[in-house]
Amino acid sequence: MKIQFVRSKELILTTHAGLATVGTLLAHTKLTKRLNHTMIKDFEHPFHSHADVMKSYLGLLCQGKSDFDHIEPFRKDDVFSICLQLNKVPSSPTLRQRLDAAASSKKADWNRILLEESADLLRQIQAPLTGLLAGEESYIPLDLDVSPFDNSGTKKEGVSRTYKGTDGYAPIFAYLGQEGYGINVELREGSVHCQKETDVFLEQSIRYARRVTDAKLLVRMDAGNDSLDNLHVCHRHPDTDYIIKVNLRKSPKETWLSIAKSKGIACQQREGKIEYVGAIEFAQKGFEHNLRQVFHVIERTMEPDGQLLLVPEIEVHVYWTSLRCAPWRVIELYRDHGTSEQFHSEIKTDLDLERLPAGKFATNDLVLHAGVFAYNLLRIMGQESLREDDAPIRGNVKRRRIRTVIQNIIYMAARFVRHAGRIALNFGGNSPWFLTARRIYQAFV
């Protein structure tokens, strides 16, 4: 059967009806007011307001599009403007030039505005925050981690060799809760060591986390951030505990095996494999109380297939922690820190932000801050979709992936209708996500 392609001059259809919820969430913030009050050189009285420029770009990011040229098809799209409550949609050159100017202006400080408004939005709408139990105490995890962005083959400012062996950037992120809301980000050159100025970043992250919740925080960091500076930051903040993996550097494994045998609890997992778990405490200069380290030492004298080893294999994991719970629980809580790799993946792939669009380092930093804001908007929508069992995709899931939100909730086909001074989005009878999308919109309108 031959199918004809016909174009209507009357029907107004859209493929991104889910942006209506994005616009509603943005209306809960002071983003428009704060951005329009910033002063940027050569843009004192812009034709396109600062808020329209940034909100237009957030609208792109919420569709998984990061390139500035992707704005062009939406310049004459009435639905895009109405959903995001825009006066005018900027052109691609305007978008690029304005972000360049805002990023280079120290007075504008759009990065800080985006992070603050994002955190305030999470508190205002009471976004769900799932904690973790450590003994009898409940904590909201605050995960800090570096994730290399591969930008090889480009000449962008700040691109250099990362620890992964590729040319790119090495941004550091801070995520809050098991949902993984992004509360802080900083773009760094690829060759920068992961601990450089991380104590300052940690201090900022705790302050942003406090804008979201007053609950106890549990900071979790990798061995690359094994520094007493980070411990000092955590000790300065009340209701803030930490688990930071120790970088053993040149510390002999045999020494830790000796400590484990004398201070730990042994458990023989199989013949030829013994695990030791325990904790030690000691005084450290500059700290009022003793510091605690939890250790997990594995000694293997035999392979699983029965082959004896001439020299025993020793595996050592040590963690700084201020928690007073059992050592095994500390180890489990640190292992859960690996979930943050999934959050990195969603920002890099689902939002298409791994290969950043600008040539200037400061602009890419601003783009990444906007990306974290868009990521939070989509995460809020995804978590709201799980409150009731009306989605066509069912299952015992705790977190809706960003890609799923974009594909099924943002990219929804609808007919745009104006009638009697009212605006409506008319969805088809076979729209499986309609009930979920309508409920999410009504939750924030």
Side-chain angles (χ1 to χ4, degrees):
M1 179 185 296
K2 188 176 181 180
I3 299 175
Q4 292 185 338
F5 280 54
V6 180
R7 188 173 188 176
S8 172
K9 295 182 180 180
E10 299 176 357
L11 287 177
I12 301 177
L13 304 176
T14 181
T15 59
H16 41 266
L19 288 180
T21 306
V22 173
T24 301
L25 286 170
L26 289 174
H28 284 281
T29 71
K30 299 177 182 177
L31 193 65
T32 298
K33 181 179 179 180
R34 294 186 67 182
L35 290 179
N36 286 340
H37 276 77
T38 58
M39 297 300 295
I40 301 176
K41 186 180 179 181
D42 300 328
F43 294 97
E44 287 79 8
H45 304 286
F47 181 73
H48 295 88
S49 71
H50 299 328
D52 280 354
V53 171
M54 178 50 70
K55 287 162 69 175
S56 295
Y57 192 56
L58 289 173
L60 283 185
L61 290 171
C62 286
Q63 299 176 71
K65 300 175 180 180
S66 62
D67 196 274
F68 301 136
D69 290 336
H70 289 151
I71 197 66
E72 291 297 331
F74 298 99
R75 295 182 66 191
K76 296 181 180 179
D77 187 337
D78 291 340
V79 179
F80 183 82
S81 300
I82 291 170
C83 285
L84 296 176
Q85 303 173 30
L86 305 173
N87 294 320
K88 302 181 186 69
V89 178
S91 64
S92 171
T94 298
L95 179 59
R96 181 187 297 273
Q97 291 165 11
R98 190 70 57 83
L99 293 184
D100 283 343
S104 61
S105 173
K106 294 182 180 179
K107 291 183 178 180
D109 204 1
W110 283 18
N111 291 352
R112 178 179 58 83
I113 292 174
L114 287 168
L115 291 175
E116 290 179 355
E117 290 303 318
S118 178
D120 292 345
L121 175 64
L122 291 171
R123 180 182 279 270
Q124 183 177 347
I125 66 169
Q126 299 180 345
L129 275 173
T130 306
L132 297 165
L133 283 176
E136 297 180 356
E137 298 287 346
S138 179
Y139 292 87
I140 302 297
L142 176 58
D143 294 298
L144 280 73
D145 197 14
V146 170
S147 180
F149 280 25
D150 184 356
N151 280 253
S152 55
T154 67
K155 296 182 179 180
K156 300 172 186 175
E157 182 183 359
V159 168
S160 54
R161 205 70 169 172
T162 68
Y163 66 84
K164 288 287 189 180
T166 59
D167 292 332
Y169 298 105
I172 184 169
F173 297 87
Y175 302 102
L176 187 66
Q178 293 195 68
E179 292 79 8
Y181 300 109
I183 62 163
N184 200 7
V185 65
E186 180 185 306
L187 186 65
R188 297 176 173 181
E189 295 183 7
S191 58
V192 171
H193 189 274
C194 61
Q195 178 52 31
K196 186 177 180 181
E197 298 182 357
T198 296
D199 55 328
V200 178
F201 182 83
L202 174 59
E203 186 89 40
Q204 295 171 349
S205 300
I206 294 174
R207 288 204 306 268
Y208 286 127
R210 285 293 170 223
R211 296 179 79 109
V212 181
T213 179
D214 297 320
K216 291 184 177 181
L217 299 176
L218 178 60
V219 174
R220 299 186 291 190
M221 305 175 77
D222 292 336
N225 300 118
D226 174 15
S227 170
L228 293 179
D229 292 338
N230 296 331
L231 271 61
H232 278 296
V233 172
C234 294
H235 280 268
R236 284 199 298 269
H237 290 269
D239 293 331
T240 302
D241 287 282
Y242 56 86
I243 304 175
I244 302 176
K245 191 168 186 180
V246 173
N247 187 345
L248 295 174
R249 297 179 175 89
K250 296 182 180 180
S251 179
K253 294 182 178 180
E254 291 76 14
T255 302
W256 278 105
L257 180 59
S258 176
I259 294 172
K261 287 182 177 180
S262 62
K263 305 266 181 151
I265 299 174
C267 177
Q268 184 167 350
Q269 300 291 339
R270 58 170 174 81
E271 186 179 0
K273 179 182 177 182
I274 302 177
E275 296 191 25
Y276 301 89
V277 175
I280 58 174
E281 294 187 21
F282 53 88
Q284 180 71 36
K285 185 179 179 181
F287 291 87
E288 184 178 351
H289 303 288
N290 287 351
L291 297 183
R292 188 183 191 215
Q293 286 185 336
V294 167
F295 58 79
H296 179 205
V297 180
I298 304 173
E299 182 185 26
R300 296 182 180 89
T301 57
M302 181 187 295
E303 296 283 3
D305 60 3
Q307 177 66 47
L308 293 173
L309 301 174
L310 291 175
V311 179
E313 288 183 356
I314 304 172
E315 183 180 335
V316 181
H317 304 280
V318 186
Y319 312 90
W320 293 106
T321 185
S322 57
L323 297 175
R324 310 310 300 177
C325 59
W328 262 117
R329 184 55 181 157
V330 173
I331 296 168
E332 290 175 348
L333 289 171
Y334 179 79
R335 287 173 177 169
D336 184 66
H337 169 64
T339 306
S340 60
E341 294 294 336
Q342 298 177 20
F343 308 146
H344 296 328
S345 174
E346 291 176 285
I347 290 175
K348 291 160 74 170
T349 59
D350 298 358
L351 295 184
D352 191 30
L353 281 174
E354 180 163 22
R355 298 184 73 85
L356 293 163
K360 298 180 179 179
F361 182 84
T363 306
N364 282 331
D365 192 18
L366 176 57
V367 165
L368 195 56
H369 280 74
V372 168
F373 197 118
Y375 164 86
N376 282 341
L377 295 172
L378 295 170
R379 177 68 74 208
I380 289 168
M381 295 170 64
Q383 295 310 110
E384 184 65 29
S385 73
L386 297 174
R387 287 185 183 270
E388 294 185 19
D389 191 23
D390 55 6
I393 298 178
R394 293 181 174 85
N396 186 22
V397 295
K398 296 180 180 179
R399 186 176 60 252
R400 189 83 73 190
R401 187 180 171 96
I402 297 298
R403 181 183 298 169
T404 303
V405 177
I406 293 174
Q407 291 178 342
N408 296 309
I409 300 177
I410 296 296
Y411 282 137
M412 293 190 69
R415 179 183 177 184
F416 178 72
V417 179
R418 288 180 189 267
H419 179 70
R422 302 179 65 182
I423 294 174
L425 290 173
N426 193 343
F427 295 83
N430 189 28
S431 184
W433 284 83
F434 168 72
L435 293 175
T436 307
R438 183 179 63 177
R439 177 173 56 80
I440 295 171
Y441 176 79
Q442 291 175 345
F444 303 117
V445 71

